[in-house]
Amino acid sequence: MTEIGASWITQIDNKIFNIPPFKPQHPLNDEALWHSTNRNEENVLSMNPLNADIFCQKVEHICDELGYKKRIRKDNKDYLKTLVKVEN
């Protein structure tokens, strides 16, 4: 939350990656489509296919902003599935 506040104060472009039960609120752009990852009792992370797509989109945007070469969305999603359970 501290880093989100710092980017808001400095007016730097930010992307929200969220783990419930936290929910971004105003003055952050709480109307934007933001990513959410679930965490179960064993601390295993999971997300649905839409959130996997949003996650990859944000990573690709960060690559563009930093001038890094990015991979195609399918490759990013396939790799993400090796790290996090993507539930249907």
Side-chain angles (χ1 to χ4, degrees), residues 8-48:
W8 176 76
I9 289 171
T10 59
Q11 299 297 307
I12 294 175
D13 185 24
N14 64 71
K15 302 293 176 204
I16 298 172
F17 294 85
N18 189 53
I19 298 177
F22 178 79
K23 182 178 179 189
Q25 298 179 359
H26 189 72
L28 299 174
N29 185 0
D30 56 351
E31 295 180 16
L33 186 60
W34 41 277
H35 167 269
S36 188
T37 297
N38 300 311
R39 180 175 42 194
N40 69 14
E41 298 80 30
E42 292 83 34
N43 285 326
V44 174
L45 299 176
S46 66
M47 62 186 73
N48 65 31

